[in-house]
Amino acid sequence: MPVPTADRPDLQRPPAEVRFAEELAVLRERDGDPRPPGWELSLRAARSFVVGDERAGVSRKFVGNAALVERALVTLATNRGLMLVGEPGTAKSLLSELIAAAVSGTSTLTVQGGAATTEDQIKYGWNYALLVSEGPSTRSLVPAPMLKGMAQGKVVRFEEITRCPLEVQDCLLSLLSERVLAVPELDGPDGMVFAVPGFNVIATANTRDRGVNEMSAALKRRFNFETVFPIADFATEVALVEAESAALLRRSGVEPAPDRDLLEVLVATFRELRAPDGGKGPSSAVLSTAEAVSVAHAVGVRGWFLRQEPGSAADLVTCLAGTAAKDNPDDLARLRRFLEQQAERRKGGRWRELYDARHLLAD
């Protein structure tokens, strides 16, 4: 399927290079700095695309440490693999997507890691009808993201790499060190695919998956590791949740904008529950900024399509249960305890509404 080249309102989520095509075009036109070999933008222009540049009219897309973005770009420019690690929901995937779009002009060369991921899905496979009729050939070869990235000089994204079995992970060793992919079924020069300038790998891994399929020491040496932390500033997090949930609501056909006061209550609740406070917060729930956006989206959808009004505190309580307690009953008890003991003490009408709606929390 061809990658869309223009903004498509009928798509649920176009890739970054489509959503921000105008900004990328402006940056390319004005970019007079030297570029690393194979890059679409210079390092400074790529940084501006990710963290924003008001003077150039480029929006801020990643709310995080700009120094982290600079280090990530330098890593890719030195041909080291980049590993983004952190808690779930800290925008690791978004950051990898933005960097890939800035560096390569495309973010769609992606491997989604999982227990069922195979080496064929990473390197290459075969069109078996052609393989049977013609034998191994470049015509019957079906390139996977790594082969495409090496041949085209593009950045490949490997999401949730530690969810893959160790033997699948280790197929990256030669790709990242020798920068060559062997296709032993093909003879002659077609049997070796050498990486051209611009090829590199951005991988992501959740710290909560540590120990599931821990990367080998040999593979770790091929990557520079960067940790993506949750947003530290409350106002910044509220602004991000407001902007992202508003965009999602518009795409869902919801007319009213999200209620700012209710969003502040939502973000404050998440921050309180995920804080290291002696075990009072949920131990296993992922109360990230991304989850807050998801809850805000659900609250708006619930309020609009059920009552044709913005979501209320009662909607928030109803939507919180599925986020704060996915598989651990203790987390639901902790959330209930927060609503009964903490919400009542907070000042503001929305907090009082939240407390009054506590009975809506499912058992």
Side-chain angles (χ1 to χ4, degrees), residues 114-132:
T117 302
T118 65
E119 193 171 332
D120 290 354
Q121 295 170 325
I122 297 172
K123 292 181 174 181
Y124 63 90
W126 298 97
N127 180 323
Y128 286 102
L130 288 174
L131 185 65
V132 170

Side-chain angles (χ1 to χ4, degrees), residues 36 55 60 71 76 86 88 123 130 138 150 153 202 208 210 213 227 241 290 300 304 320 346-347:
R55 292 175 299 177
R60 185 177 187 180
R71 293 194 303 269
L76 295 176
K123 292 181 174 181
L130 288 174
T138 54
M150 296 180 73
I202 305 176
R208 296 200 179 198
R210 187 165 290 158
N213 290 303
T227 302
V241 172
W304 178 248
L320 274 174
R346 304 299 177 90
K347 296 180 179 179

Side-chain angles (χ1 to χ4, degrees), residues 265 313 343-358:
V265 169
E344 185 183 22
R345 303 174 187 175
R346 304 299 177 90
K347 296 180 179 179
R350 288 300 191 187
W351 281 108
R352 184 66 202 184
E353 293 173 11
L354 190 73
Y355 174 75
D356 291 340
R358 67 192 186 281

Side-chain angles (χ1 to χ4, degrees), residues 151-172:
Q152 300 171 11
K154 304 293 185 182
V155 170
V156 179
R157 301 165 55 211
F158 201 131
E159 296 292 319
E160 308 288 358
I161 189 171
T162 51
R163 303 300 302 176
C164 295
L166 290 176
E167 60 271 18
V168 175
Q169 295 180 29
D170 283 347
C171 77
L172 297 177

